Amino acid sequence: MKLCFFLDSLQNPLPQRIYLPFKPIQTSLQFSTEAKTLNPNLTTTSVSYSKLLSQCTASKSVGVGREIHAHMIRFGCSEDPNLRNHLINLYAKCRFFRHARKLVDESPEPDLVSWSALISGYAQNGLGKEALSAFREMHSLGVKCNEFTFPSVLKACSITKDLGLGTQVHGVALLTGFESDEFVGNTLVVMYAKCGEFGDSRRLFDAIPERNVVSWNALFSCYVQSDFHGEAMDLFQEMVLSGVGPNEYSLSSIINACTGFGDGSRGRKIHGYMIKLGYESDSFSANALVDMYAKVKSLEDAVTVFEKIEQPDIVSWNAVIAGCVLHEYHGRALKFFRQMKGSGIRPNMFTLSSALKACAGLGFKKLGRQLHSFLIKMDKESDSFVNVGLIDMYCKCEMMSNARVLFDMMPKKDMIAWNAVISGHSQNGEDIEAVSLFSEMYKEGVEFNQTTLSTVLKATASLQAIDVCEQVHALSVKTGFESDMYVINSLLDTYGKCGKVEDAARIFKECPIEDVVAFTSMITAYSQYEQGEEALKLYLQMLERENKPDSFVCSSLLNACANLSAYEQGKQIHVHILKFGFMSDAFAGNSLVNMYAKCGSIEDADRAFAEVPERGIVSWSAMIGGLAQHGHGREALNFFTQMLKDGVPPNHITLVSVLCACNHAGLVTEAKKYFESMRELFGVVPRQEHYACLIDLLGRAGKINEAMELVNTMPFQANASVWGALLGAARIHKNVELGERAAEMLLVLEPEKSGTHVLLANIYASAGMWDNVAKMRKLMKDDQVKKEPGMSWIEVKDQVHTFIVGDRNHSRSDEIYAKLDELFDLMYKAGYVPMVEMDLHDVEQSEKQRLLRYHSEKLAVAFALIATPRGAPIRVKKNLRVCVDCHTALKFISKIVSREIIVRDVNRFHHFRDGSCSCGDYW
């Protein structure tokens, strides 16, 4: 039957061929021995040559085959059609296609066997186009296919994904009756599946009358290769239930499906099934098992299977080495790498790629360079895949100059290469270079993906370059990446770190899926920019949506509670940390210490500190700073001494806390000793904040001249912190001259802050200079400088209550004011005298007393007395420094009501107990 209905699609002009001439060569001893074995009388017949050539084809011994060919030419046997077909088959299977093609072309009338051998050789070696070209030529000569030719042609269609031609060949097979052949049927199933037509593939499979294990293998191996892992596993179960027993190929394929699906449980069952059927020693199955266990987070099982392989091949080694790298056991990966080389197996590209990742993970620069040299010797250093691995290794080993040289030398830089080097700059803190390189990448028209945008946004967040963030955001919208969760989370993080909390909140509300990372970014943004209440509300929303928090979320929430002084809510977060098993996490542990310290419970902070598994500089600094703020100067210094004994070197933050501890406790000698030894003992050069601490301490202690001398000898211009410390000292010691000079400098450095005017007015008031007080008030009015209102917060039953001076907006105001009146009656009887000179309002004495009585912290304490259990500590946070009158009043109240009152003002904590304060009236 002629195939005229699709001959046009089969006929293409054939390229001119150039052949290498056959050179008759003398037969070798090996051939002579084999010939003698086959024919003791050395009478070389056609049958003898056929057997010898079949053996050469099976073992792919093309050298011996060529000697036999030469022997045949010498003795005039090469024209035998049967022997010629054997030779064509040998050369085609061994990839000597010019020789095979020459034999076909020299045949007077090449038959179906000749063409089939040639087409089969092309197809088996992955040369689909060449196979189909030979098939077209065969048809142009009128040679028909048989059950051996059809599978090779269909395989070539699978390789080239030529569904149109495959469908036509199917039609021919149907018309000629070969569709029902087992091999043809199986190959049709594979062809349709490889071309993406799984529906047609399954229909053909179901139509096979007697499906054997080969048929099943053909179908579900296609599903696995196309990443339809669930469907492949369902097919395997269907095969077993149908009574067809799996073989080693079935099992290795289905293990690969379990790997792709991430189903370790089912993988274990298949492993057991494999042992039961006796296929555990099969190399394909064993390698698949190693790969499966490594990728489903069972590395030890992967190693166990690997070690049972008698002679592991390169695939086995690659699987176990890659598994170690995947689980970040980089040292173990390199150990296997050395063992592999010792076993005599030469590493390939996949091995070296894993080894480079291990070097990157460990920062092994020397070994990374050696691998680079090895790749150069292999002549593979120009390979794009290898170059990206090398760039990544150099980036992670902090050798960016080497990474850039490699990158710049690449002739064609694809997106992966750009991503690797941009990420490298970002990881090494070279954020400007990362952003600049992305700009260059965009100008060159190279495609980018969500990884590129996320990396650039991370660099942008570090630079706090909001304009760049907005441009990248616009670009993500333009290119359709604005709905990708990686990009969304990066935008949330960047807007949050750039202080654009409202923009971050808008993006968060528009999120298609709010995952843990998105909640973390938003909660962190709220926490960092003092919107703690919003952070806590969002956390409740996160729990309602059944998103399990991670340690970073809990750390951010604890920081929010710390900023709010929300002690009770902080304790609840502590319970969640225990519930979710984050106590071993350093971030969570350090945040607990910080939260309890800033919420006024240094005892709880101490207990949390004791539970931190590995106490680093952050843990110690948090505890030392907490003790300092609570007025426990000596204890803070003892902790510092213990930290040094534990071998933890201090940083500049720790030393600020140490100086603050000395400051709050009035330890002048100790502070000077630590300050003067910072550089020599700890290698820390004093900064502005260290000078400010010491100057503040000297000023408070009355050593004004020494403080001014330190200001004049500083290696840099004094900043607002230094002049603020001097202004505070002037207030304490009523030094008008110093106060005026400090205020003059502060008004230049921070003209918008009202605190300078207020403190200077206080200094004038304390010196009885009321005309100057009036001038300061007029200056504030003329300059439209508004005094920051005093505010106090107190947490009761998970709710934060806010008060300002004279506040009557609270729902229980009548009770609060009644309680205050009751307290003042008792205080007056105990000897309390209002310090009206501290009030700067130009009003009568009685009015000044009324204004002092209703300061925000007094209102907060009165509310706590009517809203909290008897005897419970009262915790108040204030946005300004506690005034002298409130400080005196709270000492009286603490004794009258027999309660501890803890006030956290802008400078420190005050613990009022039984009529005294932890600060020793030194604040």
Side-chain angles (χ1 to χ4, degrees):
M1 176 180 177
K2 293 186 178 179
L3 309 177
C4 55
F5 65 92
F6 76 111
L7 271 178
D8 290 340
S9 67
L10 297 177
Q11 289 176 336
N12 286 326
L14 296 172
Q16 187 177 0
R17 300 183 182 84
I18 302 173
Y19 302 113
L20 295 176
F22 290 118
K23 294 182 180 180
I25 54 178
Q26 191 172 358
T27 56
S28 68
L29 177 61
Q30 181 184 2
F31 164 68
S32 302
T33 304
E34 288 175 353
K36 190 172 182 178
T37 302
L38 288 170
N39 192 333
N41 299 320
L42 289 178
T43 306
T44 311
T45 65
S46 176
V47 175
S48 303
Y49 282 126
S50 297
K51 289 181 179 180
L52 286 169
L53 290 171
S54 296
Q55 288 179 0
C56 291
T57 304
S59 61
K60 293 192 176 180
S61 303
V62 72
V64 176
R66 292 181 71 183
E67 290 182 14
I68 296 170
H69 188 182
H71 196 275
M72 288 166 54
I73 293 171
R74 181 179 177 186
F75 292 102
C77 301
S78 59
E79 299 302 318
D80 186 308
N82 180 49
L83 293 177
R84 182 186 291 113
N85 289 339
H86 275 291
L87 283 168
I88 293 169
N89 191 39
L90 166 69
Y91 287 131
K93 295 294 192 297
C94 295
R95 300 183 64 87
F96 277 64
F97 294 112
R98 288 183 178 178
H99 291 49
R101 184 72 220 206
K102 184 174 185 293
L103 286 169
V104 171
D105 291 340
E106 287 178 348
S107 300
E109 291 185 9
D111 58 13
L112 179 58
V113 178
S114 305
W115 287 109
S116 294
L118 182 62
I119 293 167
S120 175
Y122 281 132
Q124 287 183 16
N125 286 283
L127 302 174
K129 291 181 180 179
E130 290 80 356
L132 293 180
S133 177
F135 173 58
R136 290 186 179 96
E137 187 177 355
M138 181 187 83
H139 269 287
S140 69
L141 297 173
V143 181
K144 299 178 181 178
C145 291
N146 64 5
E147 67 273 25
F148 301 107
T149 319
F150 276 120
S152 297
V153 177
L154 290 168
K155 183 174 183 179
C157 293
S158 300
I159 294 168
T160 58
K161 300 290 191 294
D162 192 338
L163 179 62
L165 182 58
T167 305
Q168 293 177 5
V169 174
H170 182 190
V172 177
L174 184 64
L175 290 173
T176 53
F178 286 112
E179 187 197 33
S180 58
D181 180 83
E182 177 186 335
F183 294 106
V184 176
N186 290 339
T187 317
L188 279 167
V189 168
V190 171
M191 186 275 294
Y192 279 109
K194 290 284 180 70
C195 291
E197 298 294 329
F198 284 95
D200 291 334
S201 177
R202 184 59 202 257
R203 278 190 291 274
L204 278 171
F205 175 79
D206 291 337
I208 296 174
E210 293 184 8
R211 296 189 292 269
N212 58 20
V213 69
V214 177
S215 308
W216 287 96
N217 286 352
L219 184 59
F220 63 67
S221 66
C222 290
Y223 276 100
V224 173
Q225 290 167 14
S226 299
D227 293 332
F228 295 128
H229 304 297
E231 292 83 350
M233 289 190 283
D234 292 341
L235 272 174
F236 179 77
Q237 187 173 2
E238 187 181 337
M239 179 186 80
V240 174
L241 292 174
S242 72
V244 178
N247 60 15
E248 61 270 33
Y249 301 106
S250 319
L251 294 167
S252 59
S253 289
I254 208 62
I255 289 167
N256 289 334
C258 295
T259 304
F261 206 63
D263 193 341
S265 177
R266 195 176 297 191
R268 287 183 184 279
K269 291 178 182 177
I270 301 298
H271 188 183
Y273 199 34
M274 185 184 297
I275 294 170
K276 181 180 178 181
L277 296 175
Y279 291 125
E280 190 182 18
S281 60
D282 174 69
S283 60
F284 288 103
S285 302
N287 290 343
L289 277 172
V290 174
D291 184 59
M292 184 271 293
Y293 279 126
K295 289 178 179 174
V296 299
K297 300 181 180 180
S298 297
L299 182 61
E300 293 308 320
D301 291 323
V303 172
T304 300
V305 173
F306 173 78
E307 289 176 345
K308 290 180 180 178
I309 301 174
E310 290 184 11
Q311 292 184 327
D313 57 15
I314 187 65
V315 178
S316 318
W317 287 104
N318 282 350
V320 75
I321 292 169
C324 290
V325 172
L326 180 67
H327 292 272
E328 298 186 356
Y329 290 105
H330 302 301
R332 200 171 184 181
L334 293 176
K335 182 180 177 182
F336 276 120
F337 178 66
R338 287 192 295 270
Q339 289 177 1
M340 184 195 79
K341 289 178 69 179
S343 71
I345 294 181
R346 186 178 177 83
N348 62 11
M349 303 304 297
F350 298 103
T351 328
L352 293 168
S353 174
S354 294
L356 284 170
K357 289 177 182 176
C359 290
L362 293 169
F364 280 7
K365 301 178 183 180
K366 186 176 179 181
L367 181 57
R369 284 180 177 277
Q370 289 175 0
L371 291 174
H372 190 177
S373 299
F374 189 76
L375 284 163
I376 292 171
K377 290 177 183 178
M378 288 176 66
D379 195 27
K380 295 291 184 181
E381 79 280 3
S382 60
D383 182 270
S384 176
F385 177 75
V386 172
N387 264 328
V388 171
L390 285 167
I391 289 169
D392 182 62
M393 182 273 294
Y394 281 125
C395 289
K396 288 178 179 172
C397 289
E398 301 178 357
M399 300 168 73
M400 281 307 302
S401 58
N402 298 67
R404 281 306 297 265
V405 168
L406 266 174
F407 177 76
D408 293 338
M409 287 174 63
M410 290 179 70
K412 290 185 179 179
K413 305 175 182 70
D414 59 11
M415 178 181 66
I416 299 172
W418 283 94
N419 282 355
V421 77
I422 290 172
S423 177
H425 281 301
S426 176
Q427 289 165 3
N428 285 280
E430 299 173 359
D431 300 303
I432 294 175
E433 290 83 352
V435 174
S436 301
L437 204 59
F438 174 64
S439 176
E440 185 181 334
M441 175 185 181
Y442 183 70
K443 287 176 184 176
E444 291 193 13
V446 181
E447 281 189 32
F448 53 85
N449 61 5
Q450 63 269 39
T451 303
T452 325
L453 294 174
S454 297
T455 304
V456 173
L457 285 168
K458 180 186 174 185
T460 304
S462 299
L463 294 168
Q464 293 195 332
I466 187 61
D467 55 335
V468 178
C469 173
E470 289 170 347
Q471 291 177 46
V472 175
H473 187 183
L475 190 60
S476 70
V477 173
K478 180 181 177 181
T479 53
F481 284 111
E482 82 281 5
S483 59
D484 181 87
M485 281 310 299
Y486 287 104
V487 176
I488 289 171
N489 291 333
S490 298
L491 284 167
L492 285 172
D493 182 62
T494 307
Y495 275 119
K497 287 178 178 174
C498 290
K500 297 288 184 177
V501 181
E502 291 182 4
D503 291 322
R506 178 175 50 78
I507 293 170
F508 180 80
K509 287 176 183 176
E510 295 172 358
C511 274
I513 303 170
E514 294 166 351
D515 62 5
V516 174
V517 180
F519 274 105
T520 302
S521 297
M522 201 64 237
I523 288 170
T524 302
Y526 280 134
S527 176
Q528 284 178 341
Y529 290 92
E530 297 184 0
Q531 297 185 38
E533 292 182 32
E534 294 298 323
L536 291 166
K537 287 178 187 176
L538 198 59
Y539 179 60
L540 294 176
Q541 182 182 331
M542 175 182 172
L543 294 178
E544 286 172 4
R545 299 190 183 182
E546 298 182 352
N547 274 303
K548 181 182 175 181
D550 58 17
S551 59
F552 296 104
V553 170
C554 293
S555 296
S556 295
L557 289 165
L558 288 170
N559 291 334
C561 294
N563 293 330
L564 290 170
S565 287
Y567 176 74
E568 294 299 327
Q569 294 193 46
K571 286 203 299 184
Q572 290 179 25
I573 303 300
H574 189 175
V575 171
H576 284 204
I577 287 172
L578 291 168
K579 177 182 175 182
F580 293 116
F582 299 143
M583 281 307 296
S584 60
D585 182 83
F587 289 103
N590 294 336
S591 298
L592 271 174
V593 175
N594 179 61
M595 182 274 295
Y596 280 125
K598 288 186 176 176
C599 287
S601 180
I602 199 67
E603 296 82 5
D604 287 327
D606 190 27
R607 282 190 287 271
F609 175 80
E611 292 177 7
V612 176
E614 294 183 12
R615 292 188 283 271
I617 187 64
V618 177
S619 316
W620 286 100
S621 295
M623 195 63 205
I624 292 168
L627 286 165
Q629 279 197 317
H630 285 270
H632 303 300
R634 293 288 182 188
E635 291 88 339
L637 296 182
N638 290 338
F639 262 80
F640 180 63
T641 302
Q642 186 60 49
M643 182 188 88
L644 296 178
K645 287 181 181 178
D646 284 4
V648 179
N651 58 17
H652 71 280
I653 297 172
T654 322
L655 290 166
V656 168
S657 297
V658 168
L659 292 172
C660 284
C662 296
N663 189 3
H664 291 313
L667 305 174
V668 177
T669 304
E670 289 84 346
K672 289 169 71 174
K673 181 188 74 173
Y674 287 122
F675 181 84
E676 290 165 1
S677 63
M678 280 173 58
R679 191 192 303 264
E680 292 178 11
L681 293 181
F682 312 120
V684 177
V685 178
R687 304 184 185 186
Q688 289 271 14
E689 52 265 39
H690 301 107
Y691 278 96
C693 278
L694 186 57
I695 289 166
D696 188 40
L697 175 56
L698 292 170
R700 287 173 182 276
K703 299 179 181 294
I704 303 297
N705 292 334
E706 197 173 338
M708 286 305 302
E709 184 182 346
L710 191 59
V711 172
N712 294 330
T713 57
M714 284 169 59
F716 28 67
Q717 290 292 321
N719 64 7
S721 298
V722 172
W723 289 111
L726 289 170
L727 183 61
R731 179 193 61 80
I732 293 170
H733 300 289
K734 302 178 183 180
N735 188 322
V736 175
E737 182 182 352
L738 177 62
E740 287 179 336
R741 183 180 175 190
E744 182 183 354
M745 297 302 298
L746 283 169
L747 289 172
V748 172
L749 294 169
E750 298 178 339
E752 75 286 353
K753 289 198 173 179
S754 63
T756 303
H757 301 79
V758 174
L759 274 175
L760 185 56
N762 275 327
I763 293 169
Y764 287 141
S766 64
M769 302 169 67
W770 295 105
D771 290 342
N772 293 55
V773 173
K775 288 178 183 178
M776 286 303 303
R777 292 185 63 80
K778 185 177 184 303
L779 180 63
M780 289 177 69
K781 184 177 181 181
D782 292 343
D783 291 346
Q784 296 183 337
V785 176
K786 293 184 178 180
K787 180 181 180 295
E788 183 182 359
M791 299 179 68
S792 295
W793 296 267
I794 186 166
E795 180 192 13
V796 176
K797 295 180 180 178
D798 295 337
Q799 185 177 353
V800 177
H801 300 260
T802 306
F803 297 91
I804 59 173
V805 62
D807 193 350
R808 289 187 178 272
N809 293 322
H810 197 278
S811 60
R812 300 181 69 178
S813 285
D814 292 342
E815 296 175 76
I816 292 169
Y817 279 82
K819 188 66 177 179
L820 267 181
D821 291 340
E822 176 191 331
L823 287 171
F824 272 95
D825 287 342
L826 295 171
M827 286 162 59
Y828 283 129
K829 290 177 182 178
Y832 164 74
V833 178
M835 298 184 178
V836 292
E837 67 273 13
M838 301 309 301
D839 190 279
L840 304 180
H841 293 86
D842 187 16
V843 294
E844 297 295 328
Q845 289 286 96
S846 60
E847 180 61 16
K848 287 190 175 187
Q849 287 187 18
R850 190 190 69 80
L851 290 172
L852 285 173
R853 175 178 288 204
Y854 302 136
H855 274 191
S856 63
E857 53 265 61
K858 293 185 181 112
L859 292 173
V861 168
F863 170 67
L865 289 171
I866 64 174
T868 60
R870 185 184 297 274
I874 297 171
R875 304 175 193 277
V876 177
K877 181 186 176 184
K878 185 174 172 65
N879 65 327
L880 302 175
R881 178 182 168 275
V882 174
C883 74
V884 176
D885 182 72
C886 285
H887 193 268
T888 302
L890 292 174
K891 287 196 290 186
F892 277 98
I893 294 171
S894 69
K895 187 170 185 177
I896 290 167
V897 300
S898 299
R899 289 240 218 158
E900 180 183 8
I901 301 171
I902 304 162
V903 178
R904 175 187 170 188
D905 72 6
V906 72
N907 288 328
R908 63 178 297 162
F909 280 91
H910 299 265
H911 291 257
F912 298 95
R913 290 192 188 96
D914 197 28
S916 63
C917 180
S918 60
C919 73
D921 298 337
Y922 186 83
W923 87 103

